[in-house]
Amino acid sequence: MKATKQTSLGYFFALFTVVVWGTTFVASKQLLAVYTPARIMLMRFVLAYLALWIIRPRPLKLPWKTELRFLVLGVSGCSLYFLTENTALLYTTAANVSIIVSAAPIFTAILAHFMIDEKFHRNTLFGFLVAFAGVVLVVCNGAFVLHLSPMGDLLALLAACCWAVYSVLLRRTAADLDPILVTRRTMLWGMITAIPMSIPGGAFTLSPLSSPLLAFDLLFLGLIGSALCYVLWAKAFTLLGVVPTNNCIYLIPFVTIVAAHFTLKEPISAAAILGAGLITAGVVLAQRRKIDDGAPKAELSEET
C-alpha cells in the first residue's frame, strides 16, 4: 500500500473511531439508569470478546511474558481506565473529567518519546495547547464553572495516564500481531479484571434489556464501541503511529455534545462551536510532522 493511501486509511479508522466513541457517552448515560458503570463495562467487554472470537475463532498460545503484556493492556485500556474515569465522576464534575482525560494525547506523546521510536515534536505541544483550549470551550459549552476536587481530578488524571500506557504498549504489541487477535486478548483480560469491580450493586438481571432502546445501547457499546473500534484504533496505530492517532482524541468532546444535542436535546453554545474550530486547528497543527509509516507487519503466530 502506498504511503498516502496508508495514511488516509489510518486517519479514516481514527476519525471513525472517535466519532463512535464520542457517541458512546449518550448510550452509556441511558444504561446508567439501570446498571452500575462497572456492570456496563463488563457487559460490553463480554460482547466484544464473543464477537471477536466469532470473527477469529483461533486459540492462541502465548509466552507468559506476552500474556503479561496483554494483562497490562486489558487493565490500562479497559478495566482500570473505565473504573477511574467513571469513579472520578462521583467526586468531581463531568466537565473536569472530560477536560483532564483529554490530556491523554500529550501524556502519550511524552511516554512514546522515551519508550518507542516516536520523538516528541514542537508542533505536538503547540497543537495540544490549541486543541486543549478548544476542549475547555466545548466541555464548558458556555458555562465556565470549573470546580477543583483533588480526589476526582486525580482519578481523571490517572485515567489519562492509563490510556497513555495502553497506547504505547499497544503500539509495541500491535506492530507485529493481528489487531483483531490483539483486541480479543485485550478484551479477555479487561473482562476478567472487570468481574470483581462489577460484584457490588445488588442482584444482577438482564430484564432491563427487554427495552429495545437499552438493548441497542448495549449492543452498540459492545460490538461497535469496543470490538470494532478497538480493532480500528490498533490498526490506525500501525498505519499512523501512536501520537498522530491519539491526537484525534481531542475531537471526542465535540462529537459528544453534537450527539447529545440531537439525541438528548442538550444545547450547543457559540463557545462550543468556537472550541470545535480550535480543536480542529490544534489537531491539524499537531499532525504537521513527518510520520513514520513503519515496515510491513507480520501476522500473529498462533496455533489452530
Side-chain angles (χ1 to χ4, degrees):
M1 185 185 297
K2 293 183 178 179
T4 53
K5 289 184 178 180
Q6 193 175 25
T7 301
S8 299
L9 185 61
Y11 279 118
F12 173 78
F13 289 159
L15 292 175
F16 175 85
T17 299
V18 300
V19 168
V20 172
W21 283 348
T23 59
T24 57
F25 291 101
V26 176
S28 296
K29 186 173 183 178
Q30 294 173 144
L31 284 167
L32 282 169
V34 292
Y35 289 115
T36 65
R39 290 182 176 179
I40 295 172
M41 174 178 69
L42 176 60
M43 289 189 292
R44 68 185 287 181
F45 294 160
V46 170
L47 280 174
Y49 178 76
L50 293 175
L52 294 171
W53 182 267
I54 292 172
I55 295 172
R56 284 284 195 279
R58 306 173 188 174
L60 302 181
K61 185 177 181 181
L62 301 172
W64 71 269
K65 288 185 178 180
T66 305
E67 199 70 77
L68 183 60
R69 182 184 297 183
F70 276 106
L71 170 60
V72 177
L73 281 172
V75 171
S76 62
C78 296
S79 57
L80 184 59
Y81 169 75
F82 284 107
L83 178 67
T84 51
E85 185 179 58
N86 289 322
T87 306
L89 292 170
L90 300 176
Y91 297 96
T92 189
T93 64
N96 279 34
V97 174
S98 297
I99 290 171
I100 294 171
V101 172
S102 293
I106 197 68
F107 295 147
T108 303
I110 294 170
L111 194 60
H113 177 81
F114 293 103
M115 295 189 63
I116 56 178
D117 58 345
E118 295 191 29
K119 300 304 178 184
F120 192 93
H121 292 262
R122 186 170 51 186
N123 280 349
T124 301
L125 177 60
F126 293 157
F128 162 74
L129 294 174
V130 174
F132 195 74
V135 167
V136 172
L137 290 175
V138 167
V139 171
C140 293
N141 201 14
F144 295 94
V145 180
L146 291 181
H147 171 67
L148 293 180
S149 172
M151 176 64 76
D153 295 343
L154 284 174
L155 285 169
L157 186 63
L158 179 57
C161 292
C162 281
W163 191 258
V165 171
Y166 169 78
S167 299
V168 172
L169 187 58
L170 178 65
R171 178 67 174 88
R172 297 178 66 177
T173 304
D176 301 314
L177 310 179
D178 178 354
I180 294 179
L181 296 175
V182 167
T183 304
R184 194 185 78 188
R185 201 57 153 226
T186 300
M187 289 295 161
L188 174 63
W189 282 111
M191 179 175 61
I192 292 172
T193 54
I195 291 175
M197 305 173 191
S198 63
I199 293 175
F204 175 76
T205 175
L206 294 175
S207 58
L209 299 180
S210 60
S211 164
L213 176 61
L214 295 181
F216 173 82
D217 287 338
L218 183 59
L219 289 172
F220 177 72
L221 289 176
L223 301 182
I224 308 300
S226 294
L228 176 61
C229 286
Y230 270 71
V231 170
L232 295 182
W233 200 250
K235 187 63 177 175
F237 275 4
T238 64
L239 295 173
L240 301 176
V242 171
V243 176
T245 303
N246 261 9
N247 284 337
C248 296
I249 289 176
Y250 295 127
L251 297 167
I252 291 180
F254 183 69
V255 173
T256 300
I257 68 165
V258 170
H261 174 73
F262 287 105
T263 59
L264 304 177
K265 308 304 179 185
E266 295 182 1
I268 300 178
S269 68
I273 296 174
L274 174 61
L278 288 175
I279 291 171
T280 303
V283 171
V284 172
L285 178 60
Q287 309 297 51
R288 290 175 64 86
R289 64 189 187 89
K290 184 177 179 180
I291 300 174
D292 180 12
D293 289 320
K297 314 301 178 188
E299 191 173 17
L300 178 63
S301 176
E302 59 210 44
E303 283 196 0
T304 56

